[in-house]
Amino acid sequence: MQVLMAFITGLIFGLGLILSGMTDPAKVIGFLDIAGAWNPSLAFVMGGAILIASIAFHFANTRPKALLGSVMRLPTARQIDRRLVLGGLAFGVGWGLTGYCPGPALASLAIGGSKPLIFVVAMLAGMAIFEIHDRCSSAHKREAV
Amino acid sequence: MTIDWANFTPWLSLAGGVLIGLATAMFLLLNGRIAGISGILGGLLRPVKGDVGWRIAFVAGLIFSPIVFSFAAPLPAVQIDADAASLIMAGLLVGIGTRYGSGCTSGHGICGISRLSPRSMVATALFMLAGFVTVFITRHLIA
């Protein structure tokens, strides 16, 4: 049931991305190009999504369990550290270079030809680099202790 | 600053945003999880028993969405200006950056701001700022 719901949620999420214009990199760049011909559309995507999601988080905060029975897994990290800052900045540079962030890139795979595919393969490689580096550095930390 | 009125789609974008918000709400209330795409995808590279199926299902839903969309309406036109070299560069940066920074536009931008997380607000401000600066450099300084 959880897996089926995950599929349906991913599907609705993707439909929202397509309808909103997020799968069009030119539109995303248009939003990020405040010095050129600025396209404010994406602010409406964020606004609509945050409006609905914040109601859901309001309810989620008051219950220990999700409706399908599993525990609520809300993020617990609070510190604003170097990883968050550098990671956020690196992501923003990559986002600005092409206009793709992870969701829209995945939702473009089946229809967009080779370009989204190249991006997604490179993105997975980047995530793999993080995994390898993260495992090495946490192994170092364990040895140090 | 000029506004690109020809490509401005407030209602469609708002409707799409509401759908994204609805998906986020469903995933949270039914499955008890954050709909953060980079975290869901990245978790597949660190597979934990019993924690793989739902991730694959969510990603499959995203990948299938344009096919379902095309049954209801023609898919909107897209324009990808980037060449292969910048797609690879951007992909690497997005992959590494979203994992180090623990989130992307969905996890920090939508979920984090919705739950008023200061950490996510900082992350969102930073990746938006880096996006603005990058587009300014590529479109206006070296173009």
Side-chain angles (χ1 to χ4, degrees):
Chain A
M1 191 62 190
Q2 299 240 3
V3 171
L4 177 70
M5 278 320 300
F7 178 78
I8 294 171
T9 313
L11 193 65
I12 297 173
F13 201 103
L15 294 174
L17 288 172
I18 298 167
L19 186 67
S20 67
M22 287 290 293
T23 49
D24 180 9
K27 198 162 205 164
V28 176
I29 303 265
F31 173 72
L32 293 174
D33 188 9
I34 36 176
W38 189 50
N39 186 341
S41 302
L42 293 203
F44 288 77
V45 186
M46 289 288 277
I50 290 170
L51 184 77
I52 306 293
S54 51
I55 301 170
F57 277 103
H58 179 75
F59 283 111
N61 284 335
T62 61
R63 28 174 95 234
K65 282 197 161 188
L67 295 173
L68 292 180
S70 57
V71 278
M72 278 285 175
R73 287 185 186 80
L74 295 174
T76 48
R78 296 199 61 81
Q79 74 282 17
I80 293 160
D81 54 11
R82 215 175 68 138
R83 288 169 75 109
L84 184 85
V85 170
L86 293 180
L89 288 173
F91 164 46
V93 172
W95 191 35
L97 275 178
T98 56
Y100 274 133
C101 52
L106 290 174
S108 304
L109 270 184
I111 42 145
S114 62
K115 284 186 169 182
L117 183 64
I118 295 171
F119 178 89
V120 169
V121 170
M123 178 172 76
L124 285 169
M127 290 178 167
I129 291 170
F130 163 81
E131 286 301 329
I132 293 163
H133 182 258
D134 196 48
R135 270 176 225 180
C136 290
S137 59
S138 49
H140 271 296
K141 266 182 210 148
R142 273 199 299 276
E143 274 168 32
V145 173
Chain B
M1 183 200 279
T2 52
I3 302 275
D4 182 8
W5 293 111
N7 295 306
F8 181 43
T9 54
W11 295 112
L12 276 183
S13 289
L14 188 68
V18 165
L19 270 185
I20 294 169
L22 220 63
T24 304
M26 281 169 59
F27 205 47
L28 176 71
L29 296 176
L30 293 169
N31 285 29
R33 286 190 181 273
I34 296 282
I37 311 300
S38 58
I40 293 174
L41 188 65
L44 285 172
L45 299 175
R46 187 184 295 198
V48 176
K49 204 167 175 283
D51 191 53
V52 172
W54 69 270
R55 292 178 190 270
I56 292 177
F58 190 99
V59 172
L62 267 179
I63 295 175
F64 268 104
S65 63
I67 297 160
V68 174
F69 192 97
S70 65
F71 290 140
L75 286 161
V78 298
Q79 183 191 334
I80 313 162
D81 296 326
D83 57 12
S86 41
L87 285 164
I88 292 171
M89 190 66 205
L92 285 170
L93 282 168
V94 170
I96 296 173
T98 52
R99 296 300 284 147
Y100 269 101
S102 313
C104 59
T105 349
S106 50
H108 280 312
I110 296 169
C111 295
I113 291 182
S114 296
R115 27 178 227 107
L116 304 173
S117 153
R119 190 172 133 86
S120 287
M121 288 179 190
V122 169
T124 305
L126 287 173
F127 70 65
M128 300 268 285
L129 178 74
F132 286 133
V133 171
T134 303
V135 171
F136 184 75
I137 293 171
T138 56
R139 282 279 164 109
H140 301 286
L141 293 187
I142 58 174

